[in-house]
């Protein structure tokens, strides 16, 4: 990760520890030359900087068409709303009273110089995934952490990971006392489906590789 982009990632608002970000960047560098990467859960763009840095590197190495897509409705998850643990009042739009992380995301990506590499898809994950048909070199799931949203993200996007591509899941905590269980359940589902095998882990970040089926085939 180039030092300037690492500094931007460190400075960005968000929920990605540096060691987990380094893993995300490393696996995205491995894969980004093979096709677009996509994350679910943009928030303010912290993890998108790691993905955008990998895309830049892949472009410079001869894959000019690759790109990082990042999906979010920018209204925040349950835990980002007022009164909850991860609420940040500075992210509330004063006119609507709703959370709006889109302006901060845009500033973050512009400051990092990654507007060409990182493309925001603004909307509900299920709305966007229902229309998605493009094989992905890497899928990073870090969206809503309620069971419903985490499973929808897997159901909607994971089948589009290409053979040899990576599925990266954030906030996988095996013990309930360490954190919410939905990402852990999605990780279990991915392994049980048989299409993915685990290839790496740092902290709460799990990396799985697609070992069977083609993009678009069911993954369980
Ligand atoms: C944990 S944060 C993402 C953190 C980010 N990856 C980072 O590194 O800082 C989860 C994000 O998912 C978004 N989100 C939650 N449910 C969603 C849904 N159903 N569709 C789209 N975005 C959703 C929230 O708005 C929130 O910004």
């Amino acid at each position: 990760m180039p030092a300037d982009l690492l500094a931007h990632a460190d400075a960005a608002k968000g929920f990605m520890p540096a060691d987990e970000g380094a893993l995300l960047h490393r696996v995205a560098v491995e894969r980004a030359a093979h096709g677009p990467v996509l994350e679910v859960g943009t928030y303010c763009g912290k993890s998108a900087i790691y993905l955008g840095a990998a895309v830049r590197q892949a472009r410079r190495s001869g894959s000019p068409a690759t790109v990082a897509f990042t999906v979010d409705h920018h209204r925040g998850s349950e835990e980002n709303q007022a009164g909850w643990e991860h609420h940040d009042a500075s992210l509330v739009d004063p006119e609507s009273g709703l959370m709006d992380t889109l302006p901060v995301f845009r500033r973050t990506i512009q400051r990092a110089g990654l507007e060409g590499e990182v493309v925001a898809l603004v909307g509900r994950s299920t709305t966007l995934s229902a229309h998605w048909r493009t094989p992905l070199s890497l899928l990073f799931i870090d969206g809503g952490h309620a069971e419903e949203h985490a499973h929808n993200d897997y159901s909607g996007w994971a089948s589009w990971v290409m053979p040899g591509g990576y599925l990266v899941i954030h906030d996988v905590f095996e013990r309930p006392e360490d954190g919410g269980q939905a990402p852990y359940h999605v990780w279990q589902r991915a392994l049980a489906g048989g299409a993915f095998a685990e290839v790496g882990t740092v902290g709460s970040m799990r990396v799985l590789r697609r070992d069977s089926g083609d993009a678009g085939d069911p993954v369980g």
Side-chain angles (χ1 to χ4, degrees), residues 13-16 39-44 46-47 71-77 79-80 101 123-126 140 142-145 149 153 171:
K13 248 184 221 292
F15 306 106
M16 180 65 48
E39 80 171 340
V40 186
T42 314
Y43 194 58
C44 296
K46 194 179 188 75
S47 47
V71 169
D72 204 305
H73 50 40
H74 287 279
R75 295 301 187 202
S77 302
E79 66 272 18
N80 303 130
T101 49
R124 284 189 190 154
S125 172
T126 48
F140 175 47
D142 192 20
H145 284 24
H149 298 306
D153 291 343
D171 292 332

Side-chain angles (χ1 to χ4, degrees), residues 152-165:
N152 281 344
D153 291 343
Y154 182 82
S155 304
W157 297 102
S159 66
W160 296 106
V161 176
M162 63 179 64

Side-chain angles (χ1 to χ4, degrees), residues 41 72 76 85 99 101 110 118 128 158 165-166 213 219:
D72 204 305
E85 189 189 353
M99 287 283 296
T101 49
Q110 183 270 324
V118 177
L128 292 161
Y166 288 144
V219 289

Side-chain angles (χ1 to χ4, degrees), residues 6-189:
L6 192 54
H8 282 285
D10 284 344
K13 248 184 221 292
F15 306 106
M16 180 65 48
D19 57 346
E20 297 181 357
L23 175 65
L24 182 64
H25 175 255
R26 184 167 60 74
V27 294
V29 165
E30 269 183 53
R31 292 303 310 167
H34 299 275
V37 307
L38 184 144
E39 80 171 340
V40 186
T42 314
Y43 194 58
C44 296
K46 194 179 188 75
S47 47
I49 294 178
Y50 292 104
L51 297 175
V55 163
R56 177 178 289 175
Q57 197 166 322
R59 286 184 178 181
R60 287 180 178 166
S61 305
S63 301
T66 197
V67 65
F69 293 110
T70 180
V71 169
D72 204 305
H73 50 40
H74 287 279
R75 295 301 187 202
S77 302
E78 285 83 346
E79 66 272 18
N80 303 130
Q81 307 305 320
W84 289 74
E85 189 189 353
H86 293 295
H87 181 60
D88 179 340
S90 73
L91 297 172
V92 174
D93 171 7
E95 187 181 316
S96 66
L98 300 173
M99 287 283 296
D100 186 2
T101 49
L102 185 56
V104 179
F105 160 76
R106 295 212 75 179
R107 202 174 309 125
T108 300
I109 295 302
Q110 183 270 324
R111 282 183 183 154
L114 289 171
E115 286 188 313
E117 288 82 1
V118 177
V119 174
L121 302 178
V122 181
R124 284 189 190 154
S125 172
T126 48
T127 307
L128 292 161
S129 66
H131 296 276
W132 192 265
R133 298 291 178 272
T134 303
L136 298 170
S137 65
L138 180 147
L139 169 65
F140 175 47
I141 298 184
D142 192 20
H145 284 24
E147 292 284 349
E148 178 194 357
H149 298 306
H151 280 281
N152 281 344
D153 291 343
Y154 182 82
S155 304
W157 297 102
S159 66
W160 296 106
V161 176
M162 63 179 64
Y166 288 144
L167 167 65
V168 185
I169 308 174
H170 195 217
D171 292 332
V172 173
F173 298 110
E174 295 189 22
R175 303 179 333 148
E177 53 270 40
D178 293 333
Q181 294 289 280
Y184 174 54
H185 295 153
V186 168
W187 171 77
Q188 288 180 310
R189 178 179 166 190

